[in-house]
Amino acid sequence: MGLCRKILSISFKEKSIFRFDYLVSTLFSFFHIVLKVYLWKGLYGISGGTVNGIALNDMLVYSILSSFTAGITKTTVMNDLNDSVLSGSISTNLLLPIGLKKYLFVGSVTKNFFLTLYGTIPSVLAAMLFFGFHARIRPVNIILYLFSVTMGILINFLYNFLFGSSVIWFRNAFFLNNINSVLLNLFSGSFVPLWFFPEPLKILSVFLPFRYIVFEPIAVLLDTKSVEETAGVFTMQFFWLLLLFCAATFVWNRGRNKIMIQGG
Amino acid sequence: MSLIEVDHVSKNYDVILQRSGMENVWKNIFCPDRKVVCAVQDISFAIEAGELVGFIGENGAGKSTTIKMISGILFPTSGRISVAGICPYLKREKNARNIGAVFGQRSRLNWDLPMLDSFELHKEIYRIDSGSYRKNVDRFIEMLHMQDFCNTPVRQLSLGQRMKAEVALSMLHEPAILYLDEPTIGLDVLAKQQIREFIKERNRLEGITTILTSHDMKDLDSICKRIIILSKGSILFDGSMERFKQEYTKESVAEFTYAEKRSDQDISSGSVRVILDREHRLVVGYSPAKMTTAQLVETVSARYEINDFTIKAPDIEDMVRGIYEREEGMP
């Protein structure tokens, strides 16, 4: 905990230097939500009050919540790992008496904490005020959501760490980064909710971890699931968590002895 | 058992060769050409606790790779390494508590904040108790003359100031072993001197085993008691600095000023050669292995009435250059 506190306080000092960056990122987050909301309003405007049984208000609520959830589960660890292995700066991380996965996770969570605090929360609050937010959310669902979203953070981190480790073999994982960002945006439901997916894509999404990062936690929050279904979501999240943890540990341990650091 | 044991260690790198031209783009991604480069080849040595050891070698000789293997960052391709009884790359986290390291070309400081913030983070990572932390920070700031810049963001520090902070950071948790990979690269004379003194002082007071690589021979000469010369991944020499100087010194130079010649007889022999003799100035080259300075003075004073003389100490840089040239097959 001492380490987390220290990294948080250092990150806070760092972020206070780059206040302008945060202002820009808040504005961009807000415009991103505005874009989504107007897109849905436009689409609903053509087809009437409901699409696939989903009302426009539900869609707006989902847009705001998906922006928030995507924001807090975000991680740049694939990119960070890619850069540090290629540049050799991974050597400074490997000198620390702390597991790399743990160290990068703490770094990723603290970095995101400030992005959430300064970027995601203000933009989501602004969007709520601007467009209105009419949803009945029970306190118990907030607790279940927090649990589910924590699992989502871990799943996204481990997935990124797993594929970020592949840079050791490929020597450049920029294409993986791009593929990952497309897959995450599509299958996590951060832009289009899975309700609207055609059947084959819906089936495919069941076999991928992405829906458990954004879509399912929101579904839990909005109380769209029965107790059994909620338990099913948690079970699947736990399954993905375990699978990705084992895979990430295995791949990293296999790759570590292949790391190449040349030139000092 | 020695503190560090390196036993028949080799390290090969699998290098991907990038072919140029648009027609090779897909080939480069899916079936690139690979080449195995041998960075370190069957090296063995042992280092005792408290030793000050210098690694010398041309660029690409395998110095940094060797240090990275001993410090647990890289795995050797073959061979065995033991540091304080454990395998450093298999027990990386345990080994990391016991070592400090500075890689001159890679920073561990947060560039946007003052060095003291990086020190605080280091304290948490290594779980240093507040008493020793405060004591060490105060002492290191004083010894390395860092008072004026300890609250300046690292980004605004000069290279010498930053390197002092890096060296201090690496010693905050009082490691038993210190690895310094080119710690004085690009520094001015004063900063180099302060860092050298600091390293020697820590070794003297705390007995920190120090392993250093540098291209600056003065670093090695002033800090290290023992040197290991690497070339193309193999050890060329492993022994004391004194032995190195004796074995690799071909010639020392002595310069005499004299009032007059007692005889015209040439003093050149198997051990002495005259480099210059004019205007009451005599410069001779002699082999310290074959003749002591006292014998040289006696030989010269038999033929010249000497007013004064100076002996130029053997230059370690010249010696190492000689070794590299021999390895390269240069005349």
Side-chain angles (χ1 to χ4, degrees), chain A residues 54-73:
Chain A
I54 311 290
L56 175 63
N57 179 58
D58 295 343
M59 204 52 243
L60 300 187
V61 166
Y62 183 87
S63 293
I64 291 173
L65 289 176
S66 70
S67 294
F68 179 73
T69 311
I72 56 175
T73 52

Side-chain angles (χ1 to χ4, degrees), chain A residues 12-224:
Chain A
F12 184 74
K13 284 186 194 174
E14 239 181 319
K15 303 316 169 213
S16 59
I17 300 169
F18 301 108
R19 284 182 295 265
F20 184 71
D21 287 16
Y22 274 85
L23 185 68
V24 171
S25 101
T26 310
L27 282 174
F28 268 88
S29 301
F30 177 67
F31 288 135
H32 189 72
I33 302 174
V34 170
L35 181 78
K36 275 206 278 190
V37 168
Y38 277 115
L39 189 71
W40 288 117
K41 276 191 168 178
L43 288 170
Y44 268 77
I46 299 163
S47 20
T50 59
V51 176
N52 279 10
I54 311 290
L56 175 63
N57 179 58
D58 295 343
M59 204 52 243
L60 300 187
V61 166
Y62 183 87
S63 293
I64 291 173
L65 289 176
S66 70
S67 294
F68 179 73
T69 311
I72 56 175
T73 52
K74 194 175 161 184
T75 179
T76 55
V77 76
M78 191 185 287
N79 212 14
D80 298 345
L81 203 53
N82 191 358
D83 288 347
S84 62
V85 169
L86 291 178
S87 69
S89 61
I90 188 93
S91 60
T92 53
N93 288 342
L94 293 176
L95 279 173
L96 301 174
I98 183 169
L100 184 76
K101 218 185 304 121
K102 186 176 162 189
Y103 186 70
L104 292 181
F105 180 69
V106 173
S108 171
V109 167
T110 45
K111 190 173 166 187
N112 224 22
F113 177 80
F114 287 102
L115 275 173
T116 305
L117 203 65
Y118 294 123
T120 311
I121 291 178
S123 59
V124 164
L125 287 176
M128 281 175 163
L129 286 171
F130 199 66
F131 298 110
F133 186 80
H134 308 288
R136 232 177 284 139
I137 295 172
R138 292 189 302 153
V140 66
N141 288 98
I142 294 178
I143 294 166
L144 292 173
Y145 168 78
L146 289 176
F147 179 74
S148 185
V149 93
T150 306
M151 301 276 261
I153 291 170
L154 286 162
I155 290 171
N156 199 22
F157 172 81
L158 288 168
Y159 170 81
N160 274 269
F161 185 88
L162 170 67
F163 285 93
S165 304
S166 66
V167 69
I168 298 168
W169 286 275
F170 289 116
R171 303 286 152 85
N172 200 338
F174 77 93
F175 61 95
L176 273 176
N177 255 320
N178 293 338
I179 292 169
N180 170 63
S181 128
V182 170
L183 286 176
L184 184 72
N185 278 326
L186 182 67
F187 287 105
S188 70
S190 69
F191 207 84
V192 180
L194 304 188
W195 310 314
F196 296 131
F197 274 30
E199 210 49 38
L201 278 184
K202 230 183 230 174
I203 293 168
L204 184 61
S205 77
V206 174
F207 297 100
L208 295 170
F210 306 107
R211 63 183 292 149
Y212 300 101
I213 299 168
V214 177
F215 180 77
E216 295 294 2
I218 296 173
V220 168
L221 180 68
L222 293 177
D223 204 14
T224 59

Side-chain angles (χ1 to χ4, degrees), chain A residues 13 87 94 256 260 264, chain B residues 13-14 68 72 92 106 117:
Chain A
K13 284 186 194 174
S87 69
L94 293 176
R256 244 208 76 198
M260 198 174 97
Chain B
Y13 284 128
D14 187 20
K68 287 191 178 84
R92 182 184 67 79
R106 313 208 186 270
D117 284 300

